[in-house]
Amino acid sequence: MTTAELTPADFDLIRGLVRQHSAIVLEHDKHYLIETRLQMLAKTDGFPSVDHLMAEVRAGKRHPRVVEAMTTNETSFFRDLLPFEAFRKVVLPELTTRRADQRRLRIWCAACSTGQEPYSLAMLLREHGAPLNGWKLELLASDLSTQVLERAKQATFNQLEVNRGLPAPLLLKYFRKDGSQWLLKDEIRQMVQFQQLNLIGTWPSLPEMDVVFLRNVLIYFDVDVKRQILARVRRLLRPDGFLFLGGAETTLNLDDAFERVPFERSGCYRLRSGT
């Protein structure tokens, strides 16, 4: 496949499409990233060159595919570890006590990528064992990209992916080897419901959540969009629920209804009393 540098007009067109449809801000220094991902998309979709792909884009076609190609889908099992430790040691025991009468927990991973985050939580819930016997556990995972959601639903990971953060005992317990791939067992895979959702679009009707994982996605938005998303999450979160953000993210100066929970570097927040 032949390649060609993007013209300034094409570069601005892609940036504008991504901003319009996902609110993700691609700065001017992202020229190489945009060009590289367009090359990958052109190859995947059978175009002989990026120029041929861009001709379609200029004609108003293939916008969803281009926007999805520009999103960052970096993830791993138990990414950054400390949020999952806080969930296992503090959040889960606290919520199981508070929800003892209802025997239901709802958790939402709002930018799940290829599934490692929700599957990590599902394994922790399974490992919690007896205290959750007979409970209704609802684990929703959503993402903008339909392509990565299809990968997540397959629950098939290569050796490099399972080597990144997944403890060996959990790998042996909940996965089976199939050639060079590792397949997640149905008992974990079926715990997670996947759904396409654009955080800046119209949200479907969602139930109140006990825990929301919104990690490493707000960093791509401008201040106004961050505030809008946090306000929408706030309306979904139960009064005693928990919100997990990425290590470089905060609600400070964005939404005063949240306060930080003093778990070590976990990026955990909850609603202030009386909110």
Side-chain angles (χ1 to χ4, degrees):
M1 184 184 73
T2 60
T3 61
E5 290 189 2
L6 289 181
T7 66
D10 286 342
F11 180 64
D12 288 340
L13 173 60
I14 297 300
R15 292 177 65 241
L17 286 173
V18 173
R19 180 71 175 263
Q20 177 185 351
H21 294 284
S22 72
I24 293 173
V25 179
L26 294 175
E27 303 293 349
H28 288 281
D29 61 355
K30 299 298 183 182
H31 196 287
Y32 176 76
L33 178 145
I34 291 175
E35 198 167 78
T36 300
R37 292 187 178 178
L38 285 177
Q39 290 172 3
M40 294 171 60
L41 179 61
K43 182 177 181 180
T44 299
D45 287 5
F47 287 94
S49 70
V50 171
D51 286 340
H52 287 80
L53 171 61
M54 284 305 304
E56 292 269 287
V57 176
R58 294 184 208 105
K61 303 175 183 177
R62 314 192 70 81
H63 291 177
R65 289 283 288 159
V66 169
V67 172
E68 287 189 12
M70 295 302 129
T71 59
T72 299
N73 298 308
E74 170 65 19
T75 189
S76 62
F77 289 101
F78 299 98
R79 184 178 179 183
D80 302 327
L81 187 58
L82 291 176
F84 295 93
E85 287 292 286
F87 176 82
R88 179 179 65 88
K89 294 179 179 178
V90 182
V91 171
L92 190 53
E94 184 173 320
L95 287 177
T96 52
T97 298
R98 293 181 178 178
R99 307 289 188 265
D101 293 338
Q102 304 161 39
R103 300 175 70 80
R104 179 198 296 267
L105 279 179
R106 291 192 180 108
I107 302 169
W108 178 25
C109 294
C112 70
S113 187
T114 46
Q116 285 92 321
E117 180 178 83
Y119 288 139
S120 296
L121 292 170
M123 285 184 276
L124 288 183
L125 290 170
R126 183 69 70 180
E127 289 291 294
H128 202 59
L132 292 176
N133 284 343
W135 282 56
K136 185 171 180 59
L137 304 175
E138 300 177 27
L139 216 173
L140 173 66
S142 66
D143 200 274
L144 167 68
S145 172
T146 55
Q147 186 174 4
V148 299
L149 285 174
E150 286 305 312
R151 276 207 59 208
K153 292 174 186 177
Q154 293 170 9
T156 300
F157 302 94
N158 60 36
Q159 190 67 52
L160 177 61
E161 289 169 328
V162 298
N163 284 347
R164 294 187 64 197
L166 183 62
L170 296 183
L171 174 64
L172 297 176
K173 185 174 183 178
Y174 294 119
F175 291 76
R176 64 179 179 85
K177 194 77 159 38
D178 182 19
S180 62
Q181 303 291 304
W182 289 90
L183 278 59
L184 187 62
K185 294 181 179 178
D186 286 348
E187 64 179 289
I188 300 298
R189 184 174 60 82
Q190 293 174 356
M191 291 177 66
V192 183
Q193 176 188 352
F194 291 96
Q195 181 173 346
Q196 195 276 340
L197 190 149
N198 187 341
L199 289 171
I200 69 156
T202 301
W203 291 12
S205 177
L206 297 174
E208 283 190 319
M209 295 292 169
D210 298 293
V211 185
V212 175
F213 275 70
L214 184 68
R215 304 184 62 233
N216 306 303
V217 62
L218 290 182
I219 54 175
Y220 298 106
F221 300 134
D222 63 26
V223 169
D224 286 342
V225 174
K226 290 177 183 178
R227 286 176 174 153
Q228 292 168 20
I229 293 174
L230 286 172
R232 296 172 86 175
V233 169
R234 169 167 34 89
R235 291 192 287 269
L236 276 179
L237 194 65
R238 296 188 68 174
D240 59 351
F242 295 86
L243 168 66
F244 283 89
L245 300 179
E249 298 168 329
T250 181
T251 64
L252 188 64
N253 298 322
L254 295 172
D255 195 323
D256 292 338
F258 289 97
E259 61 182 358
R260 190 177 182 93
V261 181
F263 304 148
E264 181 189 2
R265 297 188 349 238
S266 66
C268 186
Y269 298 81
R270 70 190 321 165
L271 294 173
R272 296 183 187 276
S273 179
T275 299

